[in-house]
Amino acid sequence: MEASAELLPERLQRRGRELQLERQRKKQDREQEDSNRKDVNYFLDQFAKNSLEIESDLSKLACGMVENSLIPSAISKINKDIQTLQKYFSASTMILCLHDVRKSQERIHILQQSLQELEVKLLPKKKFGFKSRKAQNIETVEVKVVDETDSSEALQKILVENDFGIKDKTNENIVMRGNSISDKDVALSNLTDCTIQLLGSPGTLHISNVKNCTIMTGPVVRSVFVENCRDCKFILACQQLRVHLSNDCDFYLHVTSRAIIEDTVSVRVAPYNWSYEGLDQDFLALGWDCKKNHWDSVDDFNWLASDKPSPNWSILPADERMSWS
């Protein structure tokens, strides 16, 4: 009895410390939620403001308020503004809920469609109907630009002119490299039994409706968004990763912030272990600290318990990890 009495204060003190740490953690979580909410609200405000400005410029064109000689430059300016809006959206997908992602995509598509209709109406057609483009030094294999008939709900109409993607492929090995992906928004969709290699640094990477594929990429400048994928292996380096509606996938990661999964089960994570000629230079060009890798830090938006780990993701055992060098 005396021994138990002596231990009681120590137990109470330990419990007190645990409660204090729990209160601090909850406070930090609230502060983080507040910060995220502010970031989302700021994006939505700026996105709406920029969209309205573009709509105003489109309205002036449609109503004949622009001199004929200035129509080409006005159309060019609006096209650049839409591209800037697209890139702003792509860089912000990590903080947005799926509803905001789709609503933003829809609004961008409406702006793009309106501009295309006005361009056809107001500018004389060029011979053969082809647009003149500067030749690019691009090394690719079986690569097509994603067009506006992409059936993926999450990714349709997301690419703007000069951005690249791969869609509707089965049992193919595909490589994209060099100028074809450098700081571009790259979309991969509707792929089955394929191996995709992106040798370089895309601006953002959107992956949707992919089954039993292996996808490898060099350091992505901003974010990677994965949706509706299963039985895949992803070897990804990025600043932000968000995975939605996916299952039975392995992720080999170099990520500078905590990854996020949502409505996702049976995923496993391991350190990034791919190597290709020029990889080190690609990392150096972005100024990343290669020692900073949060590959094993995953936030599950569907798991709210703080005292138990999420059952939806796990560490990939070392003896089951594959080598991609």
Side-chain angles (χ1 to χ4, degrees), residues 66-243:
V66 178
E67 295 181 14
N68 289 342
S69 61
L70 299 178
I71 288 177
S73 60
I75 288 177
S76 177
K77 176 185 179 300
I78 295 172
N79 184 49
K80 290 180 180 178
D81 289 343
I82 294 175
Q83 291 187 39
T84 299
L85 186 67
Q86 168 69 63
K87 292 184 182 297
Y88 178 48
F89 159 72
S90 297
S92 304
T93 54
M94 294 297 300
I95 65 173
L96 303 176
C97 67
L98 193 60
H99 172 76
D100 289 337
V101 168
R102 288 176 172 165
K103 294 296 288 186
S104 299
Q105 289 173 345
E106 181 182 356
R107 193 160 189 180
I108 289 172
H109 168 58
I110 291 172
L111 295 174
Q112 291 172 332
Q113 192 172 46
S114 298
L115 179 62
Q116 290 171 2
E117 292 172 355
L118 284 172
E119 188 172 4
V120 170
K121 179 180 178 181
L122 298 176
L123 292 183
K125 293 183 179 180
K126 296 181 180 180
K127 191 174 182 180
F128 304 119
F130 290 111
K131 294 182 69 177
S132 175
R133 295 192 181 186
K134 296 181 179 179
Q136 291 181 311
N137 180 22
I138 301 174
E139 300 179 47
T140 61
V141 179
E142 294 287 324
V143 174
K144 291 183 180 179
V145 177
V146 174
D147 61 31
E148 292 187 355
T149 60
D150 189 346
S151 61
S152 168
E153 287 186 1
L155 298 178
Q156 62 184 354
K157 285 84 175 184
I158 195 173
L159 297 181
V160 294
E161 186 178 6
N162 292 330
D163 288 332
F164 292 80
I166 304 167
K167 70 163 190 170
D168 301 333
K169 299 289 185 179
T170 299
N171 197 28
E172 294 195 26
N173 295 325
I174 301 173
V175 178
M176 301 179 73
R177 71 180 82 213
N179 292 335
S180 66
I181 60 173
S182 180
D183 204 23
K184 300 290 182 63
D185 292 336
V186 177
L188 310 176
S189 62
N190 304 331
L191 307 176
T192 302
D193 299 320
C194 292
T195 297
I196 312 295
Q197 297 184 31
L198 306 180
L199 284 72
S201 294
T204 60
L205 177 59
H206 301 260
I207 306 171
S208 178
N209 298 335
V210 174
K211 177 184 176 183
N212 197 34
C213 291
T214 298
I215 296 175
M216 296 174 274
T217 179
V220 178
V221 178
R222 293 176 290 276
S223 58
V224 176
F225 187 84
V226 178
E227 183 178 28
N228 287 324
C229 297
R230 63 186 179 95
D231 299 314
C232 292
K233 294 177 175 58
F234 298 102
I235 302 86
L236 308 171
C238 58
Q239 294 202 57
Q240 297 175 312
L241 170 66
R242 186 163 183 173
V243 184

Side-chain angles (χ1 to χ4, degrees), residues 32-48:
Q32 183 63 47
E33 289 176 2
D34 291 341
S35 177
N36 291 342
R37 193 176 299 110
K38 289 179 181 178
D39 290 342
V40 171
N41 290 338
Y42 179 80
F43 165 81
L44 295 175
D45 289 344
Q46 291 299 312
F47 187 89

Side-chain angles (χ1 to χ4, degrees), residues 14 51 54 59 62 118 121 141-142 165 186 204 218 229 237 264-265 280 289 304 306 315:
R14 184 168 62 249
S51 298
I54 294 171
S59 178
L118 284 172
K121 179 180 178 181
V141 179
E142 294 287 324
V186 177
T204 60
C229 297
T264 293
V265 298
D280 292 340
D289 181 359
L304 302 179
S306 61
I315 303 295

Side-chain angles (χ1 to χ4, degrees), residues 7-59:
L7 291 175
L8 184 59
E10 182 180 348
R11 291 175 181 173
L12 290 175
Q13 290 176 9
R14 184 168 62 249
R15 180 56 180 162
R17 290 193 295 269
E18 291 174 353
L19 290 173
Q20 184 177 6
L21 290 173
E22 180 68 13
R23 285 193 294 268
Q24 291 176 349
R25 187 193 64 78
K26 289 182 178 180
K27 180 181 178 182
Q28 291 173 350
D29 288 345
R30 288 195 299 270
E31 291 175 348
Q32 183 63 47
E33 289 176 2
D34 291 341
S35 177
N36 291 342
R37 193 176 299 110
K38 289 179 181 178
D39 290 342
V40 171
N41 290 338
Y42 179 80
F43 165 81
L44 295 175
D45 289 344
Q46 291 299 312
F47 187 89
K49 177 183 176 182
N50 294 340
S51 298
L52 288 173
E53 291 176 354
I54 294 171
E55 289 172 356
S56 176
D57 290 341
L58 288 168
S59 178

Side-chain angles (χ1 to χ4, degrees), residues 18 35 253 260 301:
E18 291 174 353
S35 177
L253 301 175
I260 295 171
F301 278 12

